[in-house]
Amino acid sequence: MNFVDIAVIVVVCVSFAIVSAYLIYRKIKRKGGCECCPSCGGNCPSCRKRKDKND
């Protein structure tokens, strides 16, 4: 293996780790919110409409 092969493997592995960490972070951060706006806690107008339709 030459330097280019090793560099490509390292870049791919680091990129995979960064993307995985970002996706996990987003999944954890969205917990408790809704799909349209993760920080609302279910109090935005679109969430209230969904609750009314489900009731």
Side-chain angles (χ1 to χ4, degrees):
M1 290 182 108
N2 59 12
F3 177 74
V4 175
D5 293 336
I6 294 171
V8 168
I9 291 172
V10 168
V11 167
V12 169
C13 291
V14 169
S15 299
F16 178 77
I18 290 172
V19 169
S20 297
Y22 174 72
L23 292 174
I24 291 169
Y25 172 76
R26 272 189 43 207
K27 182 83 170 174
I28 291 171
K29 187 177 178 185
R30 281 190 164 190
K31 213 167 204 164
C34 65
E35 293 177 3
C36 62
C37 48
S39 63
C40 80
N43 296 321
C44 69
S46 61
C47 291
R48 284 189 221 127
K49 287 179 186 176
R50 287 184 198 159
K51 286 180 186 176
D52 291 341
K53 287 181 182 178
N54 291 337
D55 289 341

